[in-house]
Amino acid sequence: MSPAMFYDLNIPWSENLGELQRTVAFLYELGYDVIALTHTLAGKVPSDLTPPIPTPLPFPTPPRLRILRRCTLYMHDLGLNNKLLSQLREHYDILAARPTNERTLQQACATLDVDLVSLDLTQRPETHFKFSMLSSALARGVKIELCYSQAITSSDPSAKRTLISNVVQLIRVTRGRGLVFSSEAQSVLGVRAPSDVINLASVWGLGHERGKDGVTKEPRSVVEYARLKRTSYRGVVDVVYGGEKPAAEAGEGKTETKGQKNQGKKPLNKRDADSMEGTPVSQSGGEKDRPISKRQAKRNKKMETAQ
Amino acid sequence: MVRIKNRYLVVNYLYPHGNGQSNNKDLPGALEFHQPTPDDFHEGRLITAIRNGVTELFGDYGLGMVSTSLKVNYHSTATSTSIIRCPQKHFEMVWAALTFMTRLPKPIDVPVVIKVVRVSGTIRKAEEDVIRRAKELVLRAKTGDSRPGDDQILRDVVKTVAKRRENEVLLGDEEEEAEESESD
């Protein structure tokens, strides 16, 4: 198997470009392959949704580091809706929600069309996390994000303590599934190498394997799922550029890929194709409706040929 | 005879804000974060720092568990590398204590990020790893900016491609293979 790629999906975007550049270079040095710069929206959402993060970034970045844009929405009340989110999705690679109380957490887990539910772990939650609530998020493919940097940099021991107790609680409630570890580091000193994060997770009771998933597999599924929601047709069919070909052949290739993808995934109702555009993927069904991975498709094919 | 089992942690000190001493601005990009550690940070200070860290995180119980065989086997300030020995069962505590460290201890007080680059069961492998990494770093400084372990990744890619090709060849003579598997 090819070596794993490491993800850190939460680097706060700041105006202090020197510091940010240093952080990005340091993350690359530590061994991360994909990072996401986070723009935080608190309170009222402005009418101009274009992100303040310029493309391309105003400083040189390591050539092989993939940099994504992410938006974190603070939820103080139930004012957010999926229509606004679908507008935001055009501007950002990843959307995350940060609920601040019980009711918004419920909304974020159950209905909101986001990719990540990010929790502020330095605050004691109003009630205990409930499995039914979080599992509804995980069933839709929405992952839970844990930010470790505050445990490292914060000088306040009680914040550290609360964070650890919250993490342990979340690990118990989600049974260790669907957790994404990211830093949310305000300065360079708050980030740690992937192996150190995995060790931290294992000290906190998650185990090495699950800890590794938390910086490789789970964030990857977040990124890819978000990309599919943005670019593909209903998050099911996506045409991948298949190299340089003459015009006629290229057309053939496209239909082929479509055919292949549909083979493994039967219940695509063609009937309501016209009204599909607006409905988000998450409402059309649970995890089983997700597109099969390339690997799975290959495996299926292999099985067929073997038989 | 039963041996007492240990783990050896190979540790690198990285300085995101410089090491507070030398001000060479024209360092090669690869060495931006790999700067020499201040000489005041000797083995004794490292041990004390680890002990304090373990006590802060795990209390007296943790310190008692760890201190049975805690020792610094190798410490080089010039290359910012150490090898730390700790009990096999509780090396995670020492690792966590290192992860939670953000500054070198008091009189030096330089911001630092400590990265555990290798966990080994024998001191020999740990030493070999230190030498390998030092060589790699020298090479990077000379040639340009590639990340440590990149050549490893390339090697892995080559390996996977070779394996895939092999599989394709095998799929080519499918019938033979089918017969073989049946006979198995």
Side-chain angles (χ1 to χ4, degrees):
Chain A
M1 221 182 98
S2 62
M5 306 251 280
F6 293 109
Y7 289 71
D8 189 343
L9 291 187
N10 197 354
I11 307 296
W13 162 258
S14 69
E15 295 296 324
N16 185 355
L17 289 180
E19 179 76 9
L20 192 66
Q21 180 185 4
R22 203 193 295 267
T23 311
V24 170
F26 194 64
L27 280 164
Y28 180 67
E29 179 72 30
L30 287 178
Y32 287 99
D33 301 283
V34 182
I35 64 167
L37 296 177
T38 305
H39 175 56
T40 307
L41 286 176
K44 250 201 162 335
V45 179
S47 52
D48 180 24
L49 292 175
T50 42
I53 309 167
T55 17
L57 289 172
F59 50 80
T61 53
R64 241 176 306 160
L65 187 70
R66 195 169 146 215
I67 298 176
L68 306 172
R69 277 158 193 77
R70 145 175 167 165
C71 183
T72 303
L73 295 140
Y74 272 71
M75 299 169 63
H76 298 293
D77 47 26
L78 302 173
L80 282 177
N81 53 20
N82 284 341
K83 201 176 165 201
L84 176 75
L85 289 174
S86 64
Q87 282 170 359
L88 271 172
R89 207 172 269 292
E90 289 168 17
H91 299 287
Y92 293 95
D93 294 314
I94 303 168
L95 293 185
R98 168 156 290 187
T100 47
N101 55 38
E102 179 80 24
R103 284 173 64 213
T104 47
L105 177 63
Q106 172 72 44
Q107 193 202 9
C109 287
T111 54
L112 222 52
D113 187 25
V114 290
D115 309 308
L116 271 175
V117 174
S118 169
L119 296 164
D120 186 4
L121 298 173
T122 51
Q123 241 102 65
R124 199 162 268 288
E126 288 169 19
T127 53
H128 290 286
F129 298 112
K130 281 201 226 74
F131 175 70
S132 56
M133 199 191 281
L134 296 176
S135 69
S136 69
L138 298 181
R140 295 191 303 138
V142 177
K143 310 282 179 191
I144 314 288
E145 183 187 45
L146 309 175
C147 303
Y148 61 84
S149 142
Q150 252 136 3
I152 290 168
T153 49
S154 142
S155 53
D156 173 19
S158 78
K160 209 182 265 189
R161 234 171 281 153
T162 325
L163 190 142
I164 293 176
S165 93
N166 279 335
V167 169
V168 170
Q169 214 187 111
L170 272 173
I171 287 172
R172 186 181 56 80
V173 169
T174 59
R175 279 132 214 195
R177 269 165 289 188
L179 296 177
V180 174
F181 281 93
S182 51
S183 64
E184 199 181 18
Q186 303 293 339
S187 77
V188 197
L189 292 174
V191 293
R192 288 293 180 274
S195 54
D196 292 339
V197 177
I198 293 167
N199 177 62
L200 268 191
S202 117
V203 168
W204 287 338
L206 191 60
H208 268 110
E209 276 303 305
R210 286 273 161 78
K212 195 181 172 198
D213 285 351
V215 281
T216 55
K217 207 182 88 191
E218 305 286 0
R220 183 181 177 278
S221 87
V222 168
V223 171
E224 289 304 307
Y225 200 25
R227 189 182 62 82
L228 275 181
K229 274 183 191 169
R230 234 165 4 108
T231 61
S232 70
Y233 178 66
R234 279 198 88 206
V236 175
V237 182
D238 196 12
V239 179
V240 184
Y241 178 68
E244 215 70 54
K245 274 182 187 173
E249 272 185 58
E252 251 173 62
K254 269 180 197 169
T255 48
E256 247 176 43
T257 43
K258 267 190 190 171
Q260 266 183 13
K261 287 227 164 168
N262 283 344
Q263 245 176 29
K265 225 203 70 56
K266 284 152 284 171
L268 194 151
N269 356 348
K270 280 189 178 154
R271 200 150 32 92
D272 45 14
D274 305 334
S275 57
M276 278 174 188
E277 235 77 18
T279 37
V281 198
S282 49
Q283 285 174 0
S284 66
E287 199 138 30
K288 61 179 191 293
D289 256 11
R290 284 165 91 174
I292 53 164
S293 63
K294 267 190 184 166
R295 232 171 122 190
Q296 187 60 42
K298 213 175 259 175
R299 214 177 281 155
N300 289 348
K301 214 175 161 191
K302 216 177 202 176
M303 292 287 278
E304 277 172 23
T305 48
Q307 282 163 9
Chain B
M1 272 297 283
V2 182
R3 276 191 303 165
I4 299 169
K5 297 218 168 153
N6 291 318
R7 280 272 182 260
Y8 296 88
L9 307 182
V10 180
V11 166
N12 266 354
Y13 307 95
L14 304 174
Y15 296 93
H17 290 292
N19 64 359
Q21 290 185 334
S22 57
N23 271 332
N24 353 1
K25 287 281 175 222
D26 49 339
L27 274 174
L31 296 184
E32 191 186 350
F33 304 115
H34 291 269
Q35 293 188 18
T37 306
D39 284 334
D40 294 344
F41 187 59
H42 49 69
E43 291 178 22
R45 287 214 167 110
L46 174 58
I47 283 287
T48 331
I50 293 172
R51 281 166 178 279
N52 290 342
V54 172
T55 320
E56 197 192 326
L57 282 174
F58 302 100
D60 293 336
Y61 163 78
L63 184 59
M65 284 309 197
V66 157
S67 61
T68 47
S69 71
L70 188 65
K71 188 191 169 194
V72 177
N73 281 72
Y74 171 81
H75 183 69
S76 151
T77 49
T79 53
S80 289
T81 310
S82 303
I83 299 177
I84 299 162
R85 186 185 74 180
C86 41
Q88 188 203 37
K89 269 191 183 166
H90 303 287
F91 76 97
E92 286 180 338
M93 290 189 188
V94 178
W95 189 346
L98 290 167
T99 308
F100 271 88
M101 221 178 271
T102 48
R103 284 175 168 275
L104 293 179
K106 251 311 169 246
I108 314 164
D109 210 25
V110 175
V112 71
V113 170
I114 300 182
K115 183 185 178 192
V116 176
V117 290
R118 166 89 189 220
V119 180
S120 168
T122 57
I123 183 100
R124 206 181 107 193
K125 283 289 171 193
E127 277 168 354
E128 282 172 10
D129 199 59
V130 169
I131 294 168
R132 191 179 60 79
R133 271 168 207 282
K135 275 183 187 163
E136 225 169 57
L137 197 61
V138 171
L139 203 68
R140 280 173 64 200
K142 275 183 187 159
T143 53
D145 214 349
S146 74
R147 202 167 59 187
D150 270 2
D151 53 342
Q152 178 65 41
I153 290 171
L154 273 182
R155 257 178 271 146
D156 281 341
V157 168
V158 170
K159 212 189 275 174
T160 23
V161 169
K163 209 180 262 175
R164 201 166 289 163
R165 294 238 169 93
E166 220 171 339
N167 279 347
E168 274 169 17
V169 171
L170 284 177
L171 279 178
D173 357 300
E174 208 176 350
E175 292 161 8
E176 285 176 29
E177 184 157 275
E179 277 173 22
E180 271 174 29
S181 59
E182 272 171 22
S183 63
D184 284 345

